[in-house]
Amino acid sequence: MIAKKPSSGPLTRVQLLYEIGLSPQWQLRAQRAVALAPSRVPAPLPDERCPAAANAITAITELAPSPAATGVPALARSQAIAGMSWEQLQHSVTSCRACVLCQQRRQAVLGVGDVAAGWLFIGEGPGAEEDARGEPFVGPAGQLLDAMLAAIGLQRGRDVYIANAVKCRPPNNRTPESAEIATCAPYLQRQIALIQPRLIVLLGRAAAHALLGEVGSLASLRGQTFAYPVPQAGGRAIPVVVTYHPAYLLRTLTDKAKAWEDLCRARRLMRATQAAAAQAAPSLPA
Ligand code: URA
């Protein structure tokens, strides 16, 4: 029998997955009955529930540093953004009129979460609800993103920052154009430099386009690990993985298993990165 949501109180992770129709896609079939029982909520998923292939850490593809803006005004703007604090960034994004997306926005949406997060998730751009509320991923795709985060033991705002490739809503939720992504890129680059996350997860093609440049199909990017150089991080390169956008997954249920593989691989990479950082840190004298 399928468990029902209790009439009051916060939803558990499993109930949340169930409520948005996800639990069958995110659970191993054999464990489904247990997983759906509200009184038996498991801890964040252990490694053995990740497909073996997802645990393999593949070769890292080095990325060239982000292309500099061309043209004097664009270069000056990009250099100014590269020196901004969070407060200045918020102010600049709020008043930005650098591309046509400013014309129909209700508000620009910089991002949300822990500004010292280990995990950075990047989506495409605000939709109608995000435009109204000023926070990324608060509509149906956001509910799915929250469920995806919960499935790997993460929570919005706790060691996670969520941003978008473009900060203003494209009219009718169209895909942002290359020029719009490029104009907004200095903001995203500055966010990455300020956060210096341990891992970046790109959600969908627009995010991949923003960070990796003109790229092939999403399928060709999945399973690869890219290295995003951040000069401000002392030459450290941040590993980057690509997966499907939650809005796409809401339309294409059959690809949820692949997204789950990607998240498992991302979690594995994060652990490896953390272990490497711990080893590199000088040990304190006893
Ligand atoms: N889709 C995105 O890519 N970003 C949002 O903030 C909301 C929906």
Side-chain angles (χ1 to χ4, degrees), residues 109 122-128 130-131 135-142 145 162-166 203 206 245-247:
V109 182
I122 303 174
E124 180 173 310
E130 290 77 19
D131 182 56
E135 181 173 332
F137 282 102
V138 290
L145 178 59
I162 303 171
N164 277 313
V166 295
L203 303 165
H245 191 285

PDB file of all heavy atoms in Angstrom, residues 109 122-128 130-131 135-142 145 162-166 203 206 245-247, ligand 1:
ATOM      1  N   VAL A 109      17.207  37.796 -10.276  1.00  0.00           N
ATOM      2  CA  VAL A 109      17.361  36.743  -9.265  1.00  0.00           C
ATOM      3  C   VAL A 109      18.834  36.331  -9.233  1.00  0.00           C
ATOM      4  O   VAL A 109      19.311  35.635 -10.131  1.00  0.00           O
ATOM      5  CB  VAL A 109      16.472  35.532  -9.619  1.00  0.00           C
ATOM      6  CG1 VAL A 109      16.589  34.454  -8.565  1.00  0.00           C
ATOM      7  CG2 VAL A 109      15.018  35.961  -9.805  1.00  0.00           C
ATOM      8  N   ILE A 122      23.874  25.071 -10.704  1.00  0.00           N
ATOM      9  CA  ILE A 122      23.568  26.172 -11.628  1.00  0.00           C
ATOM     10  C   ILE A 122      22.499  25.737 -12.619  1.00  0.00           C
ATOM     11  O   ILE A 122      22.652  24.719 -13.320  1.00  0.00           O
ATOM     12  CB  ILE A 122      24.844  26.628 -12.377  1.00  0.00           C
ATOM     13  CG1 ILE A 122      25.929  27.044 -11.368  1.00  0.00           C
ATOM     14  CG2 ILE A 122      24.523  27.781 -13.324  1.00  0.00           C
ATOM     15  CD1 ILE A 122      27.276  27.366 -12.012  1.00  0.00           C
ATOM     16  N   GLY A 123      21.425  26.511 -12.663  1.00  0.00           N
ATOM     17  CA  GLY A 123      20.331  26.242 -13.606  1.00  0.00           C
ATOM     18  C   GLY A 123      20.386  27.203 -14.783  1.00  0.00           C
ATOM     19  O   GLY A 123      21.429  27.796 -15.080  1.00  0.00           O
ATOM     20  N   GLU A 124      19.230  27.362 -15.418  1.00  0.00           N
ATOM     21  CA  GLU A 124      19.175  28.140 -16.662  1.00  0.00           C
ATOM     22  C   GLU A 124      18.864  29.614 -16.389  1.00  0.00           C
ATOM     23  O   GLU A 124      19.681  30.487 -16.652  1.00  0.00           O
ATOM     24  CB  GLU A 124      18.100  27.498 -17.545  1.00  0.00           C
ATOM     25  CG  GLU A 124      17.900  28.168 -18.864  1.00  0.00           C
ATOM     26  CD  GLU A 124      16.936  27.365 -19.749  1.00  0.00           C
ATOM     27  OE1 GLU A 124      17.135  26.155 -19.909  1.00  0.00           O
ATOM     28  OE2 GLU A 124      15.978  27.975 -20.244  1.00  0.00           O
ATOM     29  N   GLY A 125      17.682  29.866 -15.881  1.00  0.00           N
ATOM     30  CA  GLY A 125      17.273  31.246 -15.603  1.00  0.00           C
ATOM     31  C   GLY A 125      15.954  31.225 -14.872  1.00  0.00           C
ATOM     32  O   GLY A 125      15.269  30.193 -14.866  1.00  0.00           O
ATOM     33  N   PRO A 126      15.579  32.333 -14.251  1.00  0.00           N
ATOM     34  CA  PRO A 126      14.331  32.359 -13.495  1.00  0.00           C
ATOM     35  C   PRO A 126      13.120  32.108 -14.387  1.00  0.00           C
ATOM     36  O   PRO A 126      13.095  32.530 -15.554  1.00  0.00           O
ATOM     37  CB  PRO A 126      14.282  33.782 -12.931  1.00  0.00           C
ATOM     38  CG  PRO A 126      15.634  34.376 -13.151  1.00  0.00           C
ATOM     39  CD  PRO A 126      16.286  33.605 -14.256  1.00  0.00           C
ATOM     40  N   GLY A 127      12.129  31.415 -13.842  1.00  0.00           N
ATOM     41  CA  GLY A 127      10.829  31.283 -14.503  1.00  0.00           C
ATOM     42  C   GLY A 127       9.863  32.274 -13.862  1.00  0.00           C
ATOM     43  O   GLY A 127      10.291  33.172 -13.119  1.00  0.00           O
ATOM     44  N   ALA A 128       8.575  32.088 -14.114  1.00  0.00           N
ATOM     45  CA  ALA A 128       7.584  33.050 -13.622  1.00  0.00           C
ATOM     46  C   ALA A 128       7.596  33.150 -12.100  1.00  0.00           C
ATOM     47  O   ALA A 128       7.585  34.258 -11.539  1.00  0.00           O
ATOM     48  CB  ALA A 128       6.201  32.642 -14.114  1.00  0.00           C
ATOM     49  N   GLU A 130       9.970  32.332  -9.986  1.00  0.00           N
ATOM     50  CA  GLU A 130      11.245  32.852  -9.487  1.00  0.00           C
ATOM     51  C   GLU A 130      11.295  34.365  -9.695  1.00  0.00           C
ATOM     52  O   GLU A 130      11.774  35.112  -8.840  1.00  0.00           O
ATOM     53  CB  GLU A 130      12.411  32.176 -10.223  1.00  0.00           C
ATOM     54  CG  GLU A 130      12.606  30.705  -9.880  1.00  0.00           C
ATOM     55  CD  GLU A 130      11.603  29.772 -10.542  1.00  0.00           C
ATOM     56  OE1 GLU A 130      10.974  30.189 -11.548  1.00  0.00           O
ATOM     57  OE2 GLU A 130      11.457  28.623 -10.067  1.00  0.00           O
ATOM     58  N   ASP A 131      10.773  34.805 -10.830  1.00  0.00           N
ATOM     59  CA  ASP A 131      10.730  36.232 -11.165  1.00  0.00           C
ATOM     60  C   ASP A 131       9.859  36.981 -10.151  1.00  0.00           C
ATOM     61  O   ASP A 131      10.156  38.105  -9.747  1.00  0.00           O
ATOM     62  CB  ASP A 131      10.141  36.353 -12.581  1.00  0.00           C
ATOM     63  CG  ASP A 131      10.074  37.770 -13.087  1.00  0.00           C
ATOM     64  OD1 ASP A 131      11.117  38.430 -13.111  1.00  0.00           O
ATOM     65  OD2 ASP A 131       8.962  38.205 -13.451  1.00  0.00           O
ATOM     66  N   GLU A 135      13.732  34.350  -5.985  1.00  0.00           N
ATOM     67  CA  GLU A 135      14.583  33.237  -5.534  1.00  0.00           C
ATOM     68  C   GLU A 135      14.607  32.170  -6.629  1.00  0.00           C
ATOM     69  O   GLU A 135      13.568  31.874  -7.219  1.00  0.00           O
ATOM     70  CB  GLU A 135      14.013  32.648  -4.237  1.00  0.00           C
ATOM     71  CG  GLU A 135      14.870  31.509  -3.705  1.00  0.00           C
ATOM     72  CD  GLU A 135      14.419  31.011  -2.322  1.00  0.00           C
ATOM     73  OE1 GLU A 135      13.832  31.806  -1.551  1.00  0.00           O
ATOM     74  OE2 GLU A 135      14.663  29.834  -2.041  1.00  0.00           O
ATOM     75  N   PRO A 136      15.786  31.588  -6.894  1.00  0.00           N
ATOM     76  CA  PRO A 136      15.819  30.571  -7.954  1.00  0.00           C
ATOM     77  C   PRO A 136      15.141  29.266  -7.526  1.00  0.00           C
ATOM     78  O   PRO A 136      15.116  28.929  -6.347  1.00  0.00           O
ATOM     79  CB  PRO A 136      17.316  30.323  -8.184  1.00  0.00           C
ATOM     80  CG  PRO A 136      18.045  30.962  -7.079  1.00  0.00           C
ATOM     81  CD  PRO A 136      17.113  31.857  -6.324  1.00  0.00           C
ATOM     82  N   PHE A 137      14.603  28.588  -8.510  1.00  0.00           N
ATOM     83  CA  PHE A 137      14.070  27.228  -8.325  1.00  0.00           C
ATOM     84  C   PHE A 137      13.054  27.149  -7.188  1.00  0.00           C
ATOM     85  O   PHE A 137      13.253  26.417  -6.222  1.00  0.00           O
ATOM     86  CB  PHE A 137      15.213  26.221  -8.095  1.00  0.00           C
ATOM     87  CG  PHE A 137      15.926  25.836  -9.370  1.00  0.00           C
ATOM     88  CD1 PHE A 137      17.153  26.386  -9.688  1.00  0.00           C
ATOM     89  CD2 PHE A 137      15.360  24.921 -10.255  1.00  0.00           C
ATOM     90  CE1 PHE A 137      17.805  26.045 -10.869  1.00  0.00           C
ATOM     91  CE2 PHE A 137      16.006  24.565 -11.439  1.00  0.00           C
ATOM     92  CZ  PHE A 137      17.229  25.135 -11.731  1.00  0.00           C
ATOM     93  N   VAL A 138      11.986  27.941  -7.303  1.00  0.00           N
ATOM     94  CA  VAL A 138      10.911  27.843  -6.319  1.00  0.00           C
ATOM     95  C   VAL A 138       9.620  27.279  -6.918  1.00  0.00           C
ATOM     96  O   VAL A 138       8.668  27.035  -6.210  1.00  0.00           O
ATOM     97  CB  VAL A 138      10.622  29.202  -5.631  1.00  0.00           C
ATOM     98  CG1 VAL A 138      11.749  29.599  -4.704  1.00  0.00           C
ATOM     99  CG2 VAL A 138      10.359  30.302  -6.652  1.00  0.00           C
ATOM    100  N   GLY A 139       9.589  27.069  -8.240  1.00  0.00           N
ATOM    101  CA  GLY A 139       8.427  26.472  -8.891  1.00  0.00           C
ATOM    102  C   GLY A 139       8.532  24.959  -8.898  1.00  0.00           C
ATOM    103  O   GLY A 139       9.296  24.374  -8.127  1.00  0.00           O
ATOM    104  N   PRO A 140       7.785  24.302  -9.785  1.00  0.00           N
ATOM    105  CA  PRO A 140       7.791  22.835  -9.839  1.00  0.00           C
ATOM    106  C   PRO A 140       9.194  22.257 -10.059  1.00  0.00           C
ATOM    107  O   PRO A 140       9.564  21.272  -9.410  1.00  0.00           O
ATOM    108  CB  PRO A 140       6.878  22.524 -11.029  1.00  0.00           C
ATOM    109  CG  PRO A 140       6.030  23.728 -11.188  1.00  0.00           C
ATOM    110  CD  PRO A 140       6.822  24.903 -10.718  1.00  0.00           C
ATOM    111  N   ALA A 141       9.996  22.865 -10.923  1.00  0.00           N
ATOM    112  CA  ALA A 141      11.362  22.353 -11.135  1.00  0.00           C
ATOM    113  C   ALA A 141      12.169  22.485  -9.853  1.00  0.00           C
ATOM    114  O   ALA A 141      13.031  21.651  -9.550  1.00  0.00           O
ATOM    115  CB  ALA A 141      12.042  23.111 -12.275  1.00  0.00           C
ATOM    116  N   GLY A 142      11.875  23.526  -9.085  1.00  0.00           N
ATOM    117  CA  GLY A 142      12.572  23.729  -7.817  1.00  0.00           C
ATOM    118  C   GLY A 142      12.207  22.666  -6.799  1.00  0.00           C
ATOM    119  O   GLY A 142      13.052  22.223  -6.019  1.00  0.00           O
ATOM    120  N   LEU A 145      14.192  19.825  -7.725  1.00  0.00           N
ATOM    121  CA  LEU A 145      15.598  20.027  -7.343  1.00  0.00           C
ATOM    122  C   LEU A 145      15.771  19.780  -5.843  1.00  0.00           C
ATOM    123  O   LEU A 145      16.722  19.125  -5.417  1.00  0.00           O
ATOM    124  CB  LEU A 145      16.058  21.445  -7.720  1.00  0.00           C
ATOM    125  CG  LEU A 145      17.495  21.785  -7.333  1.00  0.00           C
ATOM    126  CD1 LEU A 145      18.489  20.815  -7.992  1.00  0.00           C
ATOM    127  CD2 LEU A 145      17.848  23.219  -7.718  1.00  0.00           C
ATOM    128  N   ILE A 162      22.510  27.933  -4.927  1.00  0.00           N
ATOM    129  CA  ILE A 162      21.830  27.711  -6.211  1.00  0.00           C
ATOM    130  C   ILE A 162      21.829  29.017  -7.001  1.00  0.00           C
ATOM    131  O   ILE A 162      21.419  30.066  -6.487  1.00  0.00           O
ATOM    132  CB  ILE A 162      20.377  27.236  -5.979  1.00  0.00           C
ATOM    133  CG1 ILE A 162      20.359  25.967  -5.119  1.00  0.00           C
ATOM    134  CG2 ILE A 162      19.682  26.982  -7.320  1.00  0.00           C
ATOM    135  CD1 ILE A 162      18.969  25.555  -4.663  1.00  0.00           C
ATOM    136  N   ALA A 163      22.314  28.936  -8.228  1.00  0.00           N
ATOM    137  CA  ALA A 163      22.367  30.127  -9.085  1.00  0.00           C
ATOM    138  C   ALA A 163      21.837  29.750 -10.472  1.00  0.00           C
ATOM    139  O   ALA A 163      21.486  28.585 -10.728  1.00  0.00           O
ATOM    140  CB  ALA A 163      23.801  30.638  -9.183  1.00  0.00           C
ATOM    141  N   ASN A 164      21.795  30.710 -11.338  1.00  0.00           N
ATOM    142  CA  ASN A 164      21.339  30.481 -12.713  1.00  0.00           C
ATOM    143  C   ASN A 164      22.319  31.088 -13.709  1.00  0.00           C
ATOM    144  O   ASN A 164      23.072  32.005 -13.370  1.00  0.00           O
ATOM    145  CB  ASN A 164      19.969  31.142 -12.922  1.00  0.00           C
ATOM    146  CG  ASN A 164      18.826  30.273 -12.439  1.00  0.00           C
ATOM    147  OD1 ASN A 164      18.774  29.073 -12.742  1.00  0.00           O
ATOM    148  ND2 ASN A 164      17.914  30.865 -11.692  1.00  0.00           N
ATOM    149  N   ALA A 165      22.264  30.575 -14.928  1.00  0.00           N
ATOM    150  CA  ALA A 165      23.116  31.126 -15.992  1.00  0.00           C
ATOM    151  C   ALA A 165      22.742  32.571 -16.291  1.00  0.00           C
ATOM    152  O   ALA A 165      23.617  33.411 -16.479  1.00  0.00           O
ATOM    153  CB  ALA A 165      22.990  30.273 -17.254  1.00  0.00           C
ATOM    154  N   VAL A 166      21.448  32.852 -16.338  1.00  0.00           N
ATOM    155  CA  VAL A 166      21.021  34.253 -16.495  1.00  0.00           C
ATOM    156  C   VAL A 166      20.155  34.646 -15.296  1.00  0.00           C
ATOM    157  O   VAL A 166      19.455  33.816 -14.732  1.00  0.00           O
ATOM    158  CB  VAL A 166      20.254  34.519 -17.821  1.00  0.00           C
ATOM    159  CG1 VAL A 166      21.163  34.309 -19.020  1.00  0.00           C
ATOM    160  CG2 VAL A 166      18.988  33.686 -17.939  1.00  0.00           C
ATOM    161  N   LEU A 203      22.985  22.165 -14.342  1.00  0.00           N
ATOM    162  CA  LEU A 203      21.672  21.569 -14.606  1.00  0.00           C
ATOM    163  C   LEU A 203      21.209  21.991 -16.000  1.00  0.00           C
ATOM    164  O   LEU A 203      20.709  23.107 -16.180  1.00  0.00           O
ATOM    165  CB  LEU A 203      20.673  22.027 -13.543  1.00  0.00           C
ATOM    166  CG  LEU A 203      21.058  21.721 -12.094  1.00  0.00           C
ATOM    167  CD1 LEU A 203      20.188  22.524 -11.114  1.00  0.00           C
ATOM    168  CD2 LEU A 203      20.932  20.226 -11.805  1.00  0.00           C
ATOM    169  N   ALA A 206      21.800  25.117 -20.892  1.00  0.00           N
ATOM    170  CA  ALA A 206      22.133  26.546 -20.778  1.00  0.00           C
ATOM    171  C   ALA A 206      23.227  26.746 -19.736  1.00  0.00           C
ATOM    172  O   ALA A 206      24.161  27.535 -19.942  1.00  0.00           O
ATOM    173  CB  ALA A 206      20.895  27.363 -20.427  1.00  0.00           C
ATOM    174  N   HIS A 245      18.404  19.057 -16.528  1.00  0.00           N
ATOM    175  CA  HIS A 245      17.680  20.101 -15.808  1.00  0.00           C
ATOM    176  C   HIS A 245      16.412  19.488 -15.195  1.00  0.00           C
ATOM    177  O   HIS A 245      15.741  18.676 -15.844  1.00  0.00           O
ATOM    178  CB  HIS A 245      17.307  21.212 -16.799  1.00  0.00           C
ATOM    179  CG  HIS A 245      16.789  22.437 -16.119  1.00  0.00           C
ATOM    180  ND1 HIS A 245      15.529  22.514 -15.576  1.00  0.00           N
ATOM    181  CD2 HIS A 245      17.378  23.639 -15.863  1.00  0.00           C
ATOM    182  CE1 HIS A 245      15.354  23.710 -15.038  1.00  0.00           C
ATOM    183  NE2 HIS A 245      16.464  24.405 -15.192  1.00  0.00           N
ATOM    184  N   PRO A 246      16.073  19.882 -13.952  1.00  0.00           N
ATOM    185  CA  PRO A 246      14.874  19.310 -13.329  1.00  0.00           C
ATOM    186  C   PRO A 246      13.596  19.504 -14.166  1.00  0.00           C
ATOM    187  O   PRO A 246      12.725  18.624 -14.177  1.00  0.00           O
ATOM    188  CB  PRO A 246      14.762  20.051 -11.991  1.00  0.00           C
ATOM    189  CG  PRO A 246      16.139  20.541 -11.706  1.00  0.00           C
ATOM    190  CD  PRO A 246      16.822  20.738 -13.030  1.00  0.00           C
ATOM    191  N   ALA A 247      13.473  20.627 -14.861  1.00  0.00           N
ATOM    192  CA  ALA A 247      12.260  20.844 -15.669  1.00  0.00           C
ATOM    193  C   ALA A 247      12.181  19.802 -16.786  1.00  0.00           C
ATOM    194  O   ALA A 247      11.102  19.301 -17.127  1.00  0.00           O
ATOM    195  CB  ALA A 247      12.254  22.253 -16.254  1.00  0.00           C
TER     196      ALA A 247
HETATM  197  N1  URA B   1      14.614  26.831 -13.951  1.00  0.00           N
HETATM  198  C1  URA B   1      15.879  27.306 -13.809  1.00  0.00           C
HETATM  199  O1  URA B   1      16.764  26.955 -14.561  1.00  0.00           O
HETATM  200  N2  URA B   1      16.112  28.166 -12.832  1.00  0.00           N
HETATM  201  C2  URA B   1      15.196  28.561 -11.985  1.00  0.00           C
HETATM  202  O2  URA B   1      15.520  29.353 -11.104  1.00  0.00           O
HETATM  203  C3  URA B   1      13.896  28.049 -12.137  1.00  0.00           C
HETATM  204  C4  URA B   1      13.620  27.183 -13.121  1.00  0.00           C
END
